Amino acid sequence: MANKTIYRLMLNGFGAVGQGFAQILRDQGERIAQREGVELQIVAVATRSRGCVYNPAGIAPAALLDAIQTGSLRDLEGARDCDPAELIASVEADVLVEASPTNLQTAEPATSYIRAALERGWHVVTANKGPTALRYTELKALADQKGVFFGIEGTVMSGTPSIRLALEALAGCEISELRGIVNGTTNYMLTQMEQGRTYDDVLAEAQRLGYAETDPTGDVEGHDAAGKALILANVLLNAGLTLDAVECSGITKITPEAVTEAAAAGERWKLIARVWREGEQVRAQVAATRLPVSHPLAGVAGVTNALCITTDLLGDVTLIGAGAGSVATGFALVSDILALHRLS
Ligand SMILES: NC(=O)c1ccc[n+]([C@@H]2O[C@H](COP(=O)([O-])OP(=O)(O)OC[C@H]3O[C@@H](n4cnc5c(N)ncnc54)[C@H](OP(=O)(O)O)[C@@H]3O)[C@@H](O)[C@H]2O)c1
């Protein structure tokens, strides 16, 4: 295809997600360029401790991935030691690809990075739950004011297009409720407990497999799912809720006996993030819930995620797919850039 549009990208954060994004560009960049008419050119990368790099001529994704294997970006052409905020303020780019760590209490420093990029007239795509859950309305308004795109697909269900499905494909419908399995770690644990195993045993296994962190609190107490419930409420139902409005409990009190009892009644335990309209209000909750095995969410096993969207014109629409992973989440960022390209 002639006349490809070039997007100059700054990656903020080059961990699992940033590297998954770079792998997609390394392995599929040419196909994407041919099919979509866009060239995605990384010109800058910021990390917290592994150095930063800026090369206006473009940085090959393969070179970045090779460099990070050595533990640092400091040997690349254009390497510099600076703060991510300094890089955002000083380089020339079109899109900030934000993949730095999530903070669900303050949404910082990512919100400041995103704000600075939007102020510069850059598009922003992010997988970061903090700014999306806590600051979406403000950041979207700033993006609109600047005439740029703010993409958040990767914040819920990674690259599985939950946000885009609800906002675009279901645009003519009224959504009254969303119920989702949005945390793969806890769904894996509950699925394993159905084999008669104890909570401690399956948690240790989830940690061994890398599904659960050494400190698993964010997953098992439901906080990660609560952040995603807040995003669904605020982005899709325009609720304006804060995190403390999400009633939140996790799976720590689920015993093997409770799992057996549910099975005997033809039900399964699932950690469900639920947002729904109640009169003029929107409510949000995360709770372990018994679902009949016939329910579409009951059949979702292992680390897979799912979202059931209740609409007026279609009834229930259920989406099932990946909820995490470096390439799956990197793809969400690619899909947001392609979405912004289609809008331009
Ligand atoms: N992993 C997933 O499957 C997944 C799925 C959905 C959403 N997400 C979200 O995507 C984001 C990235 O996740 P990840 O798994 O890639 O995390 P990660 O592997 O921990 O990588 C984080 C990256 O951000 C850098 N960083 C740390 N603090 C920073 C700061 N203050 N400013 C700029 N960069 C900073 C880190 O630099 P150093 O290497 O120097 O520490 C590292 O390069 C998070 O917000 C996460 O919640 C992840």
Side-chain angles (χ1 to χ4, degrees), residues 15-33:
V17 173
Q19 290 171 44
F21 178 83
Q23 276 175 41
I24 296 171
L25 298 198
R26 180 192 64 190
D27 301 339
Q28 311 293 340
E30 190 52 40
R31 174 176 61 79
I32 290 169

Side-chain angles (χ1 to χ4, degrees), residues 12-18 46-50 84 98-102 109 113 127-129 154-155 158 323-326 329:
N12 194 44
F14 198 57
V17 173
T47 70
R48 181 181 51 86
S49 62
R50 295 157 202 269
E98 215 299 317
S100 71
T102 285
Y113 299 144
N128 198 322
K129 289 177 281 296
T155 60
S158 68
S326 63
T329 313

Side-chain angles (χ1 to χ4, degrees), residues 25 30 53 62 64 120 131 133 174 203 222 283 298 302 322 330 337:
L25 298 198
E30 190 52 40
V53 55
L64 275 171
R120 287 202 65 187
E174 183 72 13
L203 173 58
R283 295 190 53 199
I337 299 172

